[in-house]
């Protein structure tokens, strides 16, 4: 679990927009649940799963962009070890791409 901090995050300025997108994805997932309950055509369900994954990917990329611009450029907390920050960022990118 992530630790709670009073330091503003890179996405703080766009928090409402991020929450709106997450709620939209939540609605898509509920729609997927209904599709399965209604025994909809498999390809239609898979198509919607792909749409949810794409939406989550866009959210993740936006968060990574915010992180690179805010946290890594020192607009948030000053970077104590730039190499460690790049390693952390690239690890997150790698996890995102490996799905």
């Amino acid at each position: 679990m992530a630790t709670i901090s009073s330091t503003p995050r890179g996405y703080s300025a766009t928090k409402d927009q991020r929450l709106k997108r997450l709620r939209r994805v939540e609605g898509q997932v509920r729609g997927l649940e209904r599709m399965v309950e209604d025994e909809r055509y498999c390809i239609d369900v898979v198509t919607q799963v792909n749409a949810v994954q794409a939406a989550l990917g866009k959210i993740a990329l936006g968060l990574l962009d915010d992180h690179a611009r805010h946290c890594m450029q020192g607009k948030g907390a000053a970077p104590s070890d730039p190499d460690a920050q790049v390693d952390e960022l690239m690890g997150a990118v790698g996890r995102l791409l490996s799905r």
Side-chain angles (χ1 to χ4, degrees), residues 50-92:
N50 187 49
V52 169
Q53 289 176 325
L56 286 171
K58 283 185 177 184
I59 292 168
L61 284 175
L63 288 167
L64 286 172
D65 182 76
D66 289 344
H67 177 72
R69 293 176 190 283
H70 179 81
C71 301
M72 293 185 69
Q73 289 183 354
K75 294 176 185 172
S80 58
D81 184 355
D83 288 334
Q85 281 196 323
V86 170
D87 290 344
E88 179 185 44
L89 176 64
M90 294 312 297

Side-chain angles (χ1 to χ4, degrees), residues 7-67:
T7 305
R9 299 292 170 211
Y11 59 84
S12 294
T14 58
K15 181 179 174 181
D16 290 339
Q17 178 186 358
R18 302 274 181 233
L19 288 171
K20 183 177 178 180
R21 292 188 102 178
L22 286 167
R23 287 184 188 108
R24 189 175 308 134
V25 170
E26 181 182 19
Q28 287 178 290
V29 172
R30 282 193 307 271
L32 275 168
E33 183 180 7
R34 285 189 302 274
M35 289 177 80
V36 171
E37 285 174 352
D38 295 343
E39 298 180 4
R40 296 276 303 269
Y41 185 57
C42 298
I43 298 302
D44 292 343
V45 176
V46 170
T47 299
Q48 291 306 310
V49 167
N50 187 49
V52 169
Q53 289 176 325
L56 286 171
K58 283 185 177 184
I59 292 168
L61 284 175
L63 288 167
L64 286 172
D65 182 76
D66 289 344
H67 177 72

